Amino acid sequence: MAAGVSCGITVADGVKLKDCSACHLVKYCSVKCQRDHRPQHKRGCKKRVAELRDELLFARSLHAVTMGNARSVYFRCRSR
């Protein structure tokens, strides 16, 4: 069950928890909870955001290369 990182409040307590807007790994019940936890969370959050960005860039480049090869094969076949 999801719980607020700093305060331990859970979804069962009737509070809508909000994800960290950068890494989406931790949940907070309030802005105060987020601010209190920020010093502990900052380094890991930045690392995870960098990993997510790298994964996205790799996936995009892989997709572009795959699509590029498929197009060149298609055009070679049609030109014969």
Side-chain angles (χ1 to χ4, degrees), residues 22-25 47-57:
C23 69
H24 304 285
L25 292 177
K47 182 179 177 185
R48 179 61 183 148
V49 168
E51 290 170 355
L52 290 171
R53 186 185 66 240
D54 290 346
E55 289 172 9
L56 179 63
L57 291 174

Side-chain angles (χ1 to χ4, degrees), residues 2-66:
V5 176
S6 293
C7 59
I9 292 176
T10 65
V11 175
D13 295 330
V15 176
K16 181 171 170 38
L17 300 175
K18 297 168 188 74
D19 291 335
C20 170
S21 61
C23 69
H24 304 285
L25 292 177
V26 297
K27 298 187 180 295
Y28 299 104
C29 65
S30 66
V31 173
K32 182 186 180 317
C33 184
Q34 184 178 10
R35 285 186 184 142
D36 290 346
H37 185 250
R38 181 70 180 156
Q40 297 94 341
H41 178 63
K42 187 175 180 180
R43 180 179 283 165
C45 181
K46 285 186 177 192
K47 182 179 177 185
R48 179 61 183 148
V49 168
E51 290 170 355
L52 290 171
R53 186 185 66 240
D54 290 346
E55 289 172 9
L56 179 63
L57 291 174
F58 179 74
R60 284 183 182 171
S61 65
L62 184 62
H63 179 70
V65 167
T66 303

